[in-house]
């Protein structure tokens, strides 16, 4: 299909000054290896060296400049984890614009809210998400829609004035005038917006600076993981997550290591195949990935397939001790569990290699400070007293885009209120008790859903579990468990409750067990507890002793 002509524009040429530090995160990452012939990216179409990756990023950058993308303007991407998304993010930052990688799990109207909120004039989408991206393009101020594949958007599929082009055409737009040098961004300049999952409200864009990317690479990446040039990284979490983009881009490129990009759904069999194929040494997942990995048959995942993995990593939610021990016993891989957030860009409390405390988030990552505070704002100095977790560190976002009221509630000077309840143990480790509104008070005593869930997951027939509080006929909160059985197993609610009573104080036991085929989750793999509450309130007066939710 013949495309309409595009006006080619020259990039702006600002002059450097002796004022703010000049730093471009894309330049920093592309220069991670002194050897241009070293493999940087392994993807379904082959491999790219650092030298080839730099040239490809410059081609994409030239195309974006030709489309009129300006410094600090947002470019929104809804794409699979493949070379196109990888280079689009780097190229956007390379020219001083702001990359906005967005969830591929959103519907068209949901994605459209992000397009409008970010005011992106250029949107890039994978052919796999064509329908959603086309629907989203009708929101906001989109002027160019770039699609991978051979079928660009037609004029009648787009709002008036918008143009649809293919990814291949984008690569040719720079012509004989490619971008050969990065835009002289300040370290404080905006580089990346990441939208929170928005499980209970409108998604918010956490705004990150170029310097934030360097900071997480030099703190968690280098000081906790000890990542080096010989490492090969594979992440079940995708590039549009803060966790995933650190795993698959910031950490490996910052030291000249390699990353494996896999656009497919992260099933145990597929990812085990990629681990073996590419000799993966750092394997990143979330509890909802590690659980199925442990439960996989030997036909799906042979026991020795992770033999070259020197470190597993988990984040998103607390990794149950049963899964930690199970993965270590079956595959010989130690998993470092930790807590991070979109607002901090990656993990800020983590276990350490050889010093894992199963069930805990570990200790603060170098470069970050944490506090536990009481409801009155006073700081907890002792141990074993639950409190609200606050975090401070240089990678903390500058705030949420156009969310003044929320910013004032969440950010307090250099500190951020995380919304997580934690407790510090005598050994200095921190253990999550759940979100602030998830912790229960049963009979006047605090109960952590995470503690009850950990006990449930010790049951040999339970694959996943979530605990929430449901009010009984007297208006008092009681723990109710939602469980997913292992394939082929059947659960007896009374037996499950008895199992919990045998390993927990009696008041912590679930008063009801509801069986589900799957737990509702966000795009990041976090359990949507509000949806479980909706199921539970179908009978707000009586808490049954045996129950089965709709399957």
């Amino acid at each position: 299909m013949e495309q309409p002509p595009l006006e080619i524009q020259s990039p702006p040429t600002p002059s450097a000054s002796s004022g703010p530090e000049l730093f471009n995160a894309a330049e920093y990452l592309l220069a991670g290896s002194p050897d241009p012939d070293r493999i940087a990216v392994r993807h379904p179409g082959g491999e790219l060296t650092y030298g080839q990756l730099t040239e490809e990023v410059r081609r994409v950058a030239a195309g974006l400049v030709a489309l009129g993308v300006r410094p600090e303007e947002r470019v929104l991407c809804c794409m699979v984890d493949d070379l196109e998304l990888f280079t689009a993010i780097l190229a956007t930052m390379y020219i001083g614009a702001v990359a906005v990688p967005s969830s591929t799990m959103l519907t068209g109207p949901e994605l459209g809210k992000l397009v409008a909120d970010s005011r992106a004039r250029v949107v890039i989408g994978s052919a796999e998400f064509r329908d959603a991206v086309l629907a989203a393009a009708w929101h906001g101020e989109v002027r160019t829609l770039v699609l991978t594949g051979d079928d660009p958007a037609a004029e009648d599929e787009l709002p008036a004035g918008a143009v649809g082009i293919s990814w291949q055409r984008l690569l040719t737009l720079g012509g004989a005038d490619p971008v050969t040098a990065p835009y002289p961004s300040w370290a404080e300049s905006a580089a990346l917006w990441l939208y929170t999952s928005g499980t209970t409200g409108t998604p918010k864009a956490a705004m990150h600076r170029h310097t934030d990317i360097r900071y997480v690479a030099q703190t968690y990446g280098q000081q906790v993981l000890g990542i080096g040039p010989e490492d090969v990284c594979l992440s079940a979490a995708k590039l549009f997550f803060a966790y995933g983009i650190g795993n698959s881009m910031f950490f490996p490129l910052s030291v000249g290591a390699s990353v494996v990009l896999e656009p497919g759904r992260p099933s145990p069999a597929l990812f085990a195949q990629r681990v073996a194929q590419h000799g993966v040494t750092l394997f990143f997942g979330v509890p909802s990935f590690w659980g199925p990995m442990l439960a996989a048959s030997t036909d799906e995942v042979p026991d020795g397939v992770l033999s070259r993995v020197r470190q597993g990593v988990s984040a998103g939610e607390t990794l149950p001790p049963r899964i930690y021990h199970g993965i270590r016993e079956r595959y010989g891989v130690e998993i470092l569990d930790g807590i991070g957030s979109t607002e901090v860009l990656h993990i800020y409390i983590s276990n350490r290699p050889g010093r894992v405390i199963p069930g805990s988030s570990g200790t603060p990552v170098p470069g970050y400070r944490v506090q536990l505070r009481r409801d009155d704002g006073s700081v907890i100095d002792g141990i074993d007293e639950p409190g609200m977790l606050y975090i401070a560190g240089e990678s903390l976002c500058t705030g949420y885009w156009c969310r003044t009221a929320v910013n004032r509630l969440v950010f307090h000077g250099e500190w951020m209120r995380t919304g997580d309840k934690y407790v510090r143990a005598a050994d200095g480790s921190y253990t999550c008790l759940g979100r602030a509104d998830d912790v229960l008070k049963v009979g006047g005593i605090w109960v952590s859903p995470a503690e009850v869930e950990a006990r449930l997951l010790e049951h040999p027939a339970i694959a996943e579990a979530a605990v929430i509080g449901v009010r009984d006929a007297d208006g008092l909160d009681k723990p109710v468990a939602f469980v997913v059985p292992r394939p082929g197993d059947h659960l007896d609610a009374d037996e499950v409750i008895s199992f919990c009573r045998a390993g927990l104080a009696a008041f912590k036991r679930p008063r009801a067990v509801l069986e589900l085929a799957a737990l509702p989750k966000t795009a990041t793999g976090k359990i949507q507890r509000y949806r479980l509450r909706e199921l539970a309130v179908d009978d707000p007066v009586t808490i049954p002793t045996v129950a089965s939710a709709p399957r």
Side-chain angles (χ1 to χ4, degrees):
M1 180 185 298
E2 184 176 353
Q3 298 298 309
L6 291 171
E7 180 182 356
I8 305 300
Q9 302 183 17
S10 300
T13 55
S15 59
S17 71
S18 58
E21 176 195 1
L22 293 180
F23 176 74
N24 185 290
E27 178 187 30
Y28 163 75
L29 295 173
L30 292 171
S33 175
D35 180 3
D37 295 325
R38 191 172 189 85
I39 298 298
V41 182
R42 306 158 192 241
H43 60 102
E47 299 176 340
L48 257 68
T49 65
Y50 274 84
Q52 292 169 331
L53 176 62
T54 299
E55 291 305 311
E56 189 71 4
V57 167
R58 288 174 173 172
R59 289 177 67 199
V60 179
L64 293 176
V65 169
L67 291 177
V69 176
R70 299 164 295 183
E72 301 194 14
E73 186 175 9
R74 276 74 66 188
V75 175
L76 186 140
C77 303
C78 181
M79 308 173 75
V80 296
D81 273 28
D82 209 334
L83 187 61
E84 291 87 351
L85 175 58
F86 200 79
T87 54
I89 294 171
L90 287 168
T92 301
M93 296 191 297
Y94 197 77
I95 64 172
V98 180
V100 189
S102 302
S103 173
T104 59
M105 304 174 76
L106 299 178
T107 65
E110 290 171 329
L111 185 63
K113 292 179 181 178
L114 273 56
V115 170
D117 187 68
S118 66
R119 298 178 182 172
R121 297 194 307 161
V122 173
V123 173
I124 309 176
S126 292
E128 292 88 334
F129 312 117
R130 178 188 179 88
D131 291 344
V133 174
L134 281 174
W138 287 81
H139 299 257
E141 306 168 12
V142 176
R143 290 295 173 264
T144 306
L145 176 62
V146 183
L147 286 174
T148 64
D150 301 323
D151 188 18
E155 182 178 354
D156 60 357
E157 295 180 291
L158 295 169
V163 175
I165 66 171
S166 69
W167 176 265
Q168 289 303 317
R169 186 162 188 233
L170 174 71
L171 295 179
T172 66
L173 290 180
D177 188 26
V179 175
T180 57
Y183 180 81
S185 303
W186 297 329
E188 293 283 325
S189 297
L192 181 72
W193 283 12
L194 294 170
Y195 278 87
T196 60
S197 55
T199 58
T200 57
T202 304
K204 306 174 292 295
M207 301 181 291
H208 281 286
R209 308 164 298 168
H210 283 262
T211 191
D212 298 351
I213 293 169
R214 174 176 55 184
Y215 195 79
V216 295
Q218 293 178 349
T219 54
Y220 182 82
Q222 295 173 28
Q223 297 186 58
V224 174
L225 292 180
I227 190 170
E230 300 303 321
D231 279 310
V232 179
C233 300
L234 175 63
S235 175
K238 300 299 186 179
L239 283 163
F240 62 79
F241 299 132
Y243 179 48
I245 199 170
N247 304 340
S248 295
M249 182 181 289
F250 304 157
F251 302 158
L253 294 190
S254 71
V255 296
S258 297
V259 58
V260 178
L261 297 178
E262 173 49 60
R265 182 177 177 274
S267 68
L270 175 62
F271 271 59
Q273 181 183 350
R274 294 291 175 264
V275 168
Q277 177 184 357
H278 298 289
V280 169
T281 61
L282 291 172
F283 194 10
F284 302 86
V286 294
S288 59
F289 173 81
W290 289 117
M293 193 77 183
L294 178 59
S297 68
T298 53
D299 289 337
E300 295 176 293
V301 183
D303 286 345
V305 75
L306 306 187
S307 60
R308 294 189 61 181
V309 174
R310 69 171 181 84
Q311 200 71 69
V313 181
S314 187
E317 289 192 303
T318 300
L319 183 73
R322 176 185 68 83
I323 295 179
Y324 167 81
H325 290 297
I327 292 291
R328 184 149 200 183
E329 290 169 6
R330 177 174 174 183
Y331 299 112
V333 173
E334 175 190 62
I335 299 176
L336 303 182
D337 192 17
I339 178 176
S341 72
T342 302
E343 293 83 357
V344 185
L345 195 55
H346 212 270
I347 294 172
Y348 52 83
I349 299 178
S350 178
N351 280 278
R352 301 296 196 276
R355 293 181 285 145
V356 172
I357 302 170
S360 83
S361 297
T363 56
V365 171
Y368 295 92
R369 291 174 291 140
V370 300
Q371 286 183 351
L372 298 182
R373 299 184 188 178
R374 302 180 182 90
D375 291 342
D376 63 5
S378 59
V379 177
I380 297 171
D381 293 321
I383 62 173
D384 299 330
E385 181 182 351
M388 176 62 65
L389 180 67
Y390 282 72
I391 176 70
E394 286 302 311
S395 67
L396 194 62
C397 69
T398 57
Y400 302 120
W401 167 250
C402 289
R403 299 290 190 275
T404 301
V406 179
N407 284 335
R408 289 172 177 167
L409 290 173
V410 173
F411 302 102
H412 304 259
E414 62 182 335
W415 294 93
M416 184 188 83
R417 180 186 186 275
T418 66
D420 295 302
K421 283 280 190 180
Y422 262 77
V423 64
R424 183 173 60 246
D427 59 10
S429 65
Y430 288 77
T431 297
C432 184
L433 303 178
R435 297 292 292 176
D437 54 358
D438 290 335
V439 180
L440 313 177
K441 205 167 195 179
V442 180
I445 306 173
W446 289 111
V447 174
S448 164
E451 183 181 10
V452 184
E453 290 162 6
R455 175 58 181 169
L456 286 163
L457 289 171
E458 293 175 2
H459 193 288
I462 293 178
E464 296 184 89
V467 174
I468 63 169
V470 177
R471 292 192 171 184
D472 63 13
D474 296 319
L476 301 175
D477 282 342
K478 295 294 187 292
V480 171
F482 289 80
V483 296
V484 176
R486 289 174 176 273
D489 282 324
H490 299 282
L491 298 174
D492 177 85
D494 287 337
E495 189 276 328
V496 171
I497 293 171
S498 297
F499 177 83
C500 289
R501 187 194 293 268
L504 296 169
F507 70 89
K508 297 180 182 179
R509 75 191 189 283
R511 305 305 195 270
V513 177
L514 290 88
E515 185 177 319
L516 296 176
L519 296 177
K521 295 174 183 175
T522 69
T524 59
K526 294 182 180 179
I527 297 169
Q528 294 176 309
R529 295 177 190 271
Y530 75 94
R531 291 183 59 190
L532 296 178
R533 293 189 186 97
E534 291 172 355
L535 287 175
V537 297
D538 286 345
D539 186 0
V541 178
T542 304
I543 293 180
T545 56
V546 179
S548 179
R551 294 174 65 90

